[in-house]
Amino acid sequence: MMFRRQWLALSALALSALALGSAQADTFPSRPIKIVVPFAAGGTGDVLIRSLQEPLQRHLGQPIVVENRLGASGSMGTVFVKSAPADGYTLLQVGNSTVTTPMLQKTANYDSQKDLLPVGLIATTPMVFLLNPVVPAADIRQLVDYARANPGKLEFSSAGRGSLAHLATESFNQAAGLKMVFVPYQGAAQAVNAVLAGEVKVALTTPSDAINAFVSSGRVKMLAVSSEKRSPLLPEVPAISETLPNFAVNAFFGLSAPAGTPPAVIAKLNDALNKSIAEPAMQAKLKALGMFPRPADAASFGDMMKRDHALWTGVIAKAGIEAE
């Protein structure tokens, strides 16, 4: 008899929770929504989210407030959102570092797989493989052959330990069986400048007009792109996967919400996000940033983040990169 009363009480609680979630979804949104960018204003993620403000406001019928909460490689902003009420009114701009930071920093204080729910993917952008012209290689195959014949004699740069460029190049090392040496720099611009100056010979970085100009002037070679296939923006540049099958690394940008946010609220946010991305003006803005629009449902975005988590867990372990 007591078990039956307990079961009935638990069932009532569950039904109340479902009813509350449904009621929240029916009235959502009824006030402004905050999107936290965990990095400084003016960065790629910040520019992207601010470009989405106007169309998201139209599709959701409420103001969108963008707030920069930077610090600790994005952890401060992420922990703020993780701790916010799970009601859909506080969202996080997420990217590759959202997944990798807890693997690299013991003080990150969040779990990207447990503390956040995916809302939707916004866009991705490939990286470009740059090589100093003194290296006698015209493509990835020749570079791999040269590096294997000269182990430890090629250095690669990136914007610091644990950055996407660092991990992507370690992944390339592992896929090709190479031992290129990592040299960290303070930022992406410095990492590229190091290749131009010949301080290091290799860098993976995001494409830009400035880099295209360096390639055109012969100051650096662009051997490949890191996306699954050739980029429509650089159709003449091969994909790394043409030489190393299945190799693919993309920078991604999306939105997440605190764990526990009702599914119906996530669905409304995802629908508004995808409608915003689909607008011609937004598509043009994304392409101007060198990004590819990637509207997706929340579950598909969640699967992508899980694959990213598995990839970087393996790369970090194999490269012997320890959390600080």
Side-chain angles (χ1 to χ4, degrees):
M1 190 70 174
M2 183 177 292
F3 174 79
R4 178 177 173 79
R5 285 199 297 271
Q6 290 174 333
W7 182 85
L8 289 171
L10 288 171
S11 298
L13 283 172
L15 289 171
S16 297
L18 286 171
L20 179 60
S22 177
Q24 285 177 323
D26 288 343
T27 58
F28 180 85
S30 58
R31 54 188 170 86
I33 294 169
K34 178 186 294 184
I35 299 179
V36 173
V37 177
F39 295 101
T44 304
D46 179 71
V47 171
L48 175 60
I49 294 302
R50 292 182 189 278
S51 297
L52 277 166
Q53 265 183 293
E54 191 277 326
L56 276 176
Q57 288 175 161
R58 278 191 284 103
H59 291 297
L60 288 168
Q62 291 291 336
I64 301 294
V65 179
V66 179
E67 180 177 308
N68 298 89
R69 282 185 170 261
L70 55 156
S73 300
S75 293
M76 290 185 68
T78 303
V79 170
F80 175 82
V81 173
K82 150 193 156 175
S83 306
D87 54 13
Y89 289 100
T90 306
L91 307 177
L92 178 71
Q93 181 262 307
V94 295
N96 306 77
S97 64
T98 311
V99 176
T100 58
T101 294
M103 304 176 190
L104 300 164
Q105 294 186 7
K106 295 176 182 177
T107 57
N109 293 322
Y110 73 90
D111 184 321
S112 66
Q113 302 298 294
K114 295 179 181 179
D115 295 329
L116 300 170
L117 276 180
V119 170
L121 179 61
I122 301 169
T124 63
T125 184
M127 308 182 84
V128 291
F129 195 110
L130 303 181
L131 184 69
N132 186 280
V134 301
V135 179
D139 55 37
I140 290 294
R141 171 51 59 199
Q142 291 180 11
L143 182 278
V144 169
D145 291 342
Y146 177 86
R148 286 176 178 170
N150 297 273
K153 292 185 179 180
L154 281 183
E155 312 89 0
F156 70 91
S157 62
S158 83
R161 175 187 173 277
S163 65
L164 178 60
H166 176 202
L167 299 182
T169 315
E170 291 288 8
S171 180
F172 178 84
N173 262 343
Q174 293 168 15
L178 306 183
K179 294 183 179 180
M180 293 191 296
V181 179
F182 172 49
V183 181
Y185 285 80
Q186 290 187 338
Q190 292 91 330
V192 171
N193 285 337
V195 178
L196 294 172
E199 295 172 11
V200 299
K201 304 302 186 294
V202 171
L204 269 168
T205 189
T206 49
S208 68
D209 290 340
I211 287 174
N212 291 340
F214 294 142
V215 173
S216 297
S217 66
R219 294 185 64 191
V220 69
K221 300 176 186 178
M222 186 185 295
L223 296 193
V225 294
S226 68
S227 43
E228 295 84 350
K229 56 186 179 180
R230 296 193 183 202
S231 163
L233 299 178
L234 298 165
E236 74 286 358
V237 181
I240 294 174
S241 61
E242 293 175 32
T243 302
L244 300 175
N246 302 318
F247 183 93
V249 173
N250 292 289
F252 75 82
F253 302 86
L255 287 179
S256 287
T261 302
V265 170
I266 294 289
K268 281 192 174 183
L269 289 167
N270 178 266
D271 180 65
L273 180 62
N274 288 342
K275 286 177 179 176
S276 299
I277 297 168
E279 293 187 5
M282 192 64 214
Q283 298 251 325
K285 287 180 181 178
L286 289 170
K287 289 177 181 176
L289 291 169
M291 298 182 182
F292 298 102
R294 293 284 297 272
D297 59 61
S300 297
F301 181 39
D303 289 342
M304 192 202 83
M305 291 188 73
K306 287 177 184 176
R307 290 193 299 271
D308 228 47
H309 188 275
L311 168 65
W312 300 128
T313 299
V315 168
I316 289 169
K318 192 170 181 180
I321 304 170
E322 296 184 358
E324 294 181 340

